[in-house]
Structures are given as C-alpha cells and as structure tokens.
Amino acid sequence: MTSPLNTLPPLRDVLQRHDLFAKKSLGQHFLLDLNLTDKIARLAAPHPTVLEVGPGPGGLTRSLLQAGAQQVVAIEKDERFIPPLQDILKVSDGRLIIKNADALRVDPSMFTDNHPMRICANLPYNVGTKLLINWLTATPIFWDRMVLMLQKEVAERVIAVPKSKAYGRLAVLAGSVAEGHIAIDIPARAFTPPPKVDSAVIVLNILSEDKRFSDLITLGKVTAAAFGQRRKMLRKSLKPLAMSNNISLDEWLEASEINPTDRPETIDIKGFHRLVVNLQTLS
Ligand code: SAM
C-alpha cells in the first residue's frame, strides 16, 4: 500500500511553490535528496519520539515518518516553513508535532513521557554546537541517541581523542555521557545551496547509567577554563577556578593526579572527571 507521505511533491517543488529561498543568517542549507534523508533517518531507528530541530522544507521529517517514527517533534524557527510542514502534518497520521520556535529556548524534555527521545537533525551551523552542548549537559538526560548532521570539523571535535588537535571541551563532554562515531560523510555539494565546508552525520549513543559521568555542569566549567587557554599549562589556566572555589591549586592537581605543567589536550576524559570530583571534595 502506498503511504500518503509518498503523495507529497518533490522538495524542490515545495521550495518553489512556497517561494522559499535560503537565509544564511539561519544556517539554511537544505537536503533535497530523499534517499539521503532516508539513510540518515535509518540511523535513528527504531523511533519512539524523535526531536528534529530545523526541519526546513521537511525532507528529513518525511523520512523519519516514513521510517515509522511514532512521533516527530519538529522545532523550526523560520515561520516561512510552517505551511509546507503543515502539508506533511496532513498526511502524518497525527504523528507530527510542529513548533514554530527557537530551539535554544525550548526545553525538549517537555515532549517526553519518561521515555528517552531520539534526536535526529540536520542542525543549523550557527547554533549547532550550542544545541549539542545543551543536550549533552541536560539533567536529567532526556535522549538515548543523537543522529546529527554537523560541520565535519565539529563532528571530528566531538569524537576526538587526547593529544589530537581536535580534542577539547566537546570531546570531553560528549565522551562523558555517550559513545560516538561518524556514520556518513556528506560533501558540501549535497546541500542546496552548498555551504563552504563538508558535513558529517555523527551518531552518539548514551552510555549506561553506571558508565556515565554525572556532574556535567562542573565538568563544563573545568573544561571551559582548561581549554579556554589551550596553550597554557594547567597550573595557569585552572588557577582562577581554584581561587574562586577557595581551594589550593597544588592540592587539587595532586589529588587529581595531574601534572601542573601539563596542557589540557594531554589529559584524558577520566583525568577531567578526577578534577571535577576533587574540586567538589576540596571546596
Ligand atoms: N532539515 C532541513 C534539511 O535537512 O533540509 C533544513 C536544515 S538547515 C541546515 C537548518 C534549519 O534550522 C533551517 O530550516 C533553519 O531555519 C532552522 N533553524 C535555524 N536556527 C534555528 C533555531 N534556533 N531553532 C530552530 N530552528 C532553527
């Protein structure tokens, strides 16, 4: 039986019919090839409730529904895309919720019913990293998998290992709660209009509760201080944090088995966890 979703027009026609041009300020680069959006949607399967940020003309939205998502919550900031999304809503069997809002201002956990959500999105470049950090540090964690299209350079930072150029705050935060890998490399030419850089789809699976680090807020502060001055030794970059917490920097580093002359990129994720735990203990 043909799904009513198949009766929707090609995405290029949708853009034309609604006179939708891409706005650079909103990071709009569209994926109009439904084979590609199907491939991305499959990485998130099976889909209970899926959060999609920035559905735009709705290619990935259609693929998620087509792949059997029980519910898709699509948050789009640009109101010009609401009418084409409503056309998808009409053939969605009540499985699509459209929210015209800035995703940075929406608490996605309000759409969960105690079951973790999946997040699947072709994120706008300008707010992609910010959204990712918000989701990684959310308490309690409301997702169990993220399938995200990001700039390739950002995706590489998420999965980077210590002592590599890309290793930094993002890798420590992500590796503290999830296991990640790059699933698909996507060249810039796959988008309309093409961005300046290539992209990649990253999959992040949440770690089991016993393996997850819990204090992401303090971890965010420690990594911000350490990597904010990447070239400096930790005895310099962490000094202000030690002072504002009224603890001895030497004692803190020693208890955390960190050499004061080390630079942040040499400290593995467990090392940052020790710094957080000891900061709390000594404060
Ligand atoms: N998902 C569509 C696709 O793959 O063709 C569009 C992806 S485009 C890279 C990013 C989308 O995010 C655009 O539709 C843009 O309007 C939307 N967007 C940008 N900033 C946003 C924000 N703060 N909250 C929600 N949506 C946003």
Side-chain angles (χ1 to χ4, degrees):
M1 204 178 71
T2 320
S3 156
L5 287 158
N6 289 333
T7 60
L8 291 165
L11 289 160
R12 227 169 258 288
D13 294 1
V14 172
L15 291 180
Q16 257 172 18
R17 264 186 224 183
H18 294 268
D19 199 17
L20 293 166
F21 55 91
K23 279 191 187 166
K24 215 174 164 187
S25 61
L26 286 171
Q28 291 178 345
H29 300 281
F30 306 119
L31 283 178
L32 304 182
D33 175 357
L34 289 168
N35 288 320
L36 186 51
T37 52
D38 283 351
K39 208 167 151 188
I40 298 167
R42 274 198 296 273
L43 293 169
H47 318 83
T49 299
V50 185
L51 172 69
E52 189 195 357
V53 167
L60 185 57
T61 320
R62 289 192 202 183
S63 293
L64 287 164
L65 291 166
Q66 194 76 272
Q70 279 176 30
Q71 184 143 72
V72 177
V73 179
I75 304 178
E76 174 56 61
K77 185 172 176 180
D78 189 342
E79 63 185 1
R80 297 178 305 147
F81 288 91
I82 303 305
L85 291 169
Q86 276 165 344
D87 291 340
I88 304 176
L89 177 76
K90 284 180 201 144
V91 289
S92 72
D93 267 335
R95 292 181 292 141
L96 178 61
I97 295 175
I98 304 166
K99 205 159 168 48
N100 182 199
D102 179 344
L104 287 168
R105 293 170 178 273
V106 177
D107 173 9
S109 64
M110 67 193 262
F111 299 104
T112 59
D113 47 0
N114 295 327
H115 295 288
M117 300 174 105
R118 300 252 145 121
I119 305 176
C120 188
N122 173 12
L123 288 179
Y125 285 173
N126 44 351
V127 289
T129 311
K130 180 116 186 36
L131 284 166
L132 175 58
I133 290 179
N134 286 355
W135 295 332
L136 289 171
T137 57
T139 334
I141 290 249
F142 63 90
W143 52 273
D144 66 359
R145 187 184 303 164
M146 297 195 214
V147 176
L148 303 177
M149 171 91 73
L150 293 162
Q151 279 165 278
K152 184 135 192 252
E153 173 262 328
V154 177
E156 282 168 350
R157 283 202 275 132
V158 178
I159 55 154
V161 293
K163 297 186 185 155
S164 65
K165 219 173 134 194
Y167 182 67
R169 186 162 183 237
L170 215 42
V172 177
L173 293 178
S176 297
V177 293
E179 223 164 28
H181 66 275
I182 288 181
I184 319 174
D185 282 313
I186 313 243
R189 65 172 184 279
F191 298 86
T192 305
K196 287 202 179 84
V197 293
D198 290 337
S199 292
V201 177
I202 191 163
V203 177
L204 286 165
N205 284 308
I206 196 82
L207 294 171
S208 58
E209 209 165 343
D210 57 317
K211 292 199 181 128
R212 239 181 279 159
F213 190 69
S214 55
D215 187 355
L216 271 283
I217 301 297
T218 314
L219 185 61
K221 289 181 190 158
V222 171
T223 50
F227 288 104
Q229 305 185 55
R230 218 185 149 83
R231 287 171 185 281
K232 290 206 172 146
M233 294 177 193
L234 290 165
R235 69 168 180 223
K236 273 239 175 234
S237 54
L238 294 182
K239 195 172 176 183
L241 205 51
M243 282 171 72
S244 62
N245 282 274
N246 276 324
I247 62 167
S248 147
L249 176 66
D250 291 343
E251 220 179 307
W252 180 25
L253 293 177
E254 196 183 329
S256 311
E257 298 163 47
I258 301 289
N259 188 336
T261 58
D262 278 347
R263 291 188 165 77
E265 67 268 22
T266 64
I267 310 299
D268 65 9
I269 296 179
K270 292 269 178 253
F272 280 103
H273 294 173
R274 289 196 300 277
L275 280 167
V276 171
V277 171
N278 288 307
L279 179 66
Q280 301 292 29
T281 315
L282 295 169
S283 294

